[in-house]
Amino acid sequence: MEKLLHVSSSPHIRSRVKTSSIMFLVILALLPAACVGIWVFGPYAAAVLAVSVASAVMTEYIYEMLMRRPVTIKDGSAVVTGLLLGMNLPVSVPLWMPVIGSVFAVLVVKQLFGGLGQNFMNPALAGRCFLLISFSARMTDFSVSSQTAARIVDTVSGATPLAELKAGGSADLLSMFLGNTRGTIGETSALALLIGGIFLAVMGVIRLWIPLLYLGSFSAFVLIFGDHGFDLPFLAAELLGGGLMLGAWFMATDYVTSPITRRGRIVYGILLGIMTGLFRFFGGSAEGVSYAIIFCNLLVPLIERLTLPGGFGCGKKKGGKNA
């Protein structure tokens, strides 16, 4: 009896990397874009980010204390959720809105479904979409103070560069690349987001399959269905504008809500680009990243089921089923 083998349930592959370490690296990667947002929009942007993070952490702490569950705020996941939500908000929102958004993201989308690793969609994006549906006027108000307006390019109207493009206007590519333009707090600087995304890839936190396929399939969609032909400046503006860079590098790559199989990541990345293009060019809004990612999050179980490799030693019958 002493020589019996004890076999535990899967997964059998273990890693020494801790959740807190991964979240810390994600926070570091988000800091450049967050700092650019604070520099462009002023101290109030820092207040929005701080309130969003604090609300997410406190919501998780209070819920777990009331439910007598282990407190997990030290793993940093609530901080990442709050920071991402704050970066997806315009600077004009009142401070009670990031509180509501954080409570919805952490309590409803994350904790009520079992906590970290059990949520069926990205909590930060769910919080943003909840606020967008509930308070659409405030969430689409990109007005800034007179001091801020003096520093950014688009001082004539309150429209974002994507809204200008959808209305038939033009956009300043250099300002969109550097971040000196209108938009949500964390989405304006494509350069800062690229730096953060490359940092995550170099550190091994994310793989390049999803972001590159997302951006590539979206680019193909723009060239084919964007009604501008092979217009590279227009394509560049669509890639740099809105939440595409923030979504592709930081939210579409979320471990919990993205496929684990290689073929699944390929399908997922391509589908993200197609859905974003559909929402942007055939929908009523100039954006579409948030809804595209959430929609594809819901399809992940189906994608993984269809792309799951067969068991070792199992053949394939006609029709694709395992023998």
Side-chain angles (χ1 to χ4, degrees), residues 231-244:
D231 189 343
L232 293 182
F234 177 78
L235 172 61
E238 286 289 340
L239 288 172
L240 299 177
L244 184 59

Side-chain angles (χ1 to χ4, degrees), residues 308-323:
L308 189 68
F312 181 75
C314 294
K316 291 283 186 178
K317 289 183 178 180
K318 292 182 179 180
K321 295 182 179 180
N322 289 333

Side-chain angles (χ1 to χ4, degrees), residues 68-89:
R68 298 182 180 180
R69 295 172 54 183
V71 177
T72 59
I73 59 174
K74 291 183 179 180
D75 64 17
S77 61
V79 175
V80 171
T81 297
L83 184 57
L84 282 172
L85 175 62
M87 293 174 69
N88 274 281
L89 299 178

Side-chain angles (χ1 to χ4, degrees), residues 104-116:
F104 181 84
V106 174
L107 178 61
V108 178
V109 181
K110 181 182 177 182
Q111 292 297 336
L112 292 185
F113 283 88
L116 182 65

Side-chain angles (χ1 to χ4, degrees), residues 216-226 273-278 281-282:
S217 59
F218 176 74
S219 299
F221 191 99
V222 172
L223 295 176
I224 297 172
F225 301 104
I274 294 173
M275 293 307 302
T276 301
L278 287 173
F281 294 104
F282 299 100

Side-chain angles (χ1 to χ4, degrees), residues 29 37 43 53 58 70 93 106 117 132 162 165 199 246 262 284 312 321 323:
V53 170
M58 288 303 299
V93 297
V106 174
L132 190 59
L162 281 186
L165 287 173
F199 170 76
L246 180 60
R262 177 175 295 183
F312 181 75
K321 295 182 179 180

Side-chain angles (χ1 to χ4, degrees), residues 24-282:
F24 177 72
L25 292 175
V26 174
I27 293 170
L28 286 181
L30 286 169
L31 284 181
C35 290
V36 171
I38 294 171
W39 178 78
V40 171
F41 298 112
Y44 189 77
V48 173
L49 295 178
V51 170
S52 184
V53 170
S55 301
V57 173
M58 288 303 299
T59 300
E60 185 162 300
Y61 175 78
I62 293 173
Y63 175 82
E64 290 175 337
M65 288 291 292
L66 292 175
M67 296 294 104
R68 298 182 180 180
R69 295 172 54 183
V71 177
T72 59
I73 59 174
K74 291 183 179 180
D75 64 17
S77 61
V79 175
V80 171
T81 297
L83 184 57
L84 282 172
L85 175 62
M87 293 174 69
N88 274 281
L89 299 178
V91 74
S92 61
V93 297
L95 291 180
W96 54 264
M97 282 185 61
V99 175
I100 294 177
S102 293
V103 170
F104 181 84
V106 174
L107 178 61
V108 178
V109 181
K110 181 182 177 182
Q111 292 297 336
L112 292 185
F113 283 88
L116 182 65
Q118 304 297 322
N119 46 283
F120 64 100
M121 66 175 65
N122 186 283
L125 281 182
R128 180 185 187 274
C129 290
F130 173 75
L131 293 176
L132 190 59
I133 294 171
S134 304
F135 313 101
S136 57
R138 291 184 180 272
M139 286 292 290
T140 55
D141 179 10
F142 296 99
S143 60
V144 294
S145 64
S146 57
Q147 293 84 357
T148 302
R151 296 198 303 270
I152 64 177
V153 173
D154 182 13
T155 60
V156 178
S157 69
T160 62
L162 281 186
E164 290 288 345
L165 287 173
K166 195 173 182 69
S170 59
D172 189 314
L173 294 180
L174 181 60
S175 297
M176 294 173 70
F177 183 68
L178 297 178
N180 199 28
T181 186
R182 296 180 189 270
T184 64
I185 295 172
E187 75 178 17
T188 59
S189 176
L191 174 60
L193 293 168
L194 281 171
I195 291 173
I198 293 172
F199 170 76
L200 290 182
V202 171
M203 298 302 294
V205 176
I206 65 172
R207 296 184 180 181
L208 294 176
W209 286 97
I210 292 175
L212 293 185
L213 285 169
Y214 187 176
L215 298 175
S217 59
F218 176 74
S219 299
F221 191 99
V222 172
L223 295 176
I224 297 172
F225 301 104
D227 292 333
H228 284 72
F230 198 75
D231 189 343
L232 293 182
F234 177 78
L235 172 61
E238 286 289 340
L239 288 172
L240 299 177
L244 184 59
M245 289 295 173
L246 180 60
W249 292 100
F250 292 96
M251 290 180 284
T253 55
D254 177 33
Y255 286 176
V256 181
T257 56
S258 61
I260 60 174
T261 63
R262 177 175 295 183
R263 288 185 296 173
R265 295 189 188 105
I266 294 173
V267 173
Y268 179 71
I270 294 174
L271 189 59
L272 281 168
I274 294 173
M275 293 307 302
T276 301
L278 287 173
F279 282 122
R280 280 194 179 183
F281 294 104
F282 299 100

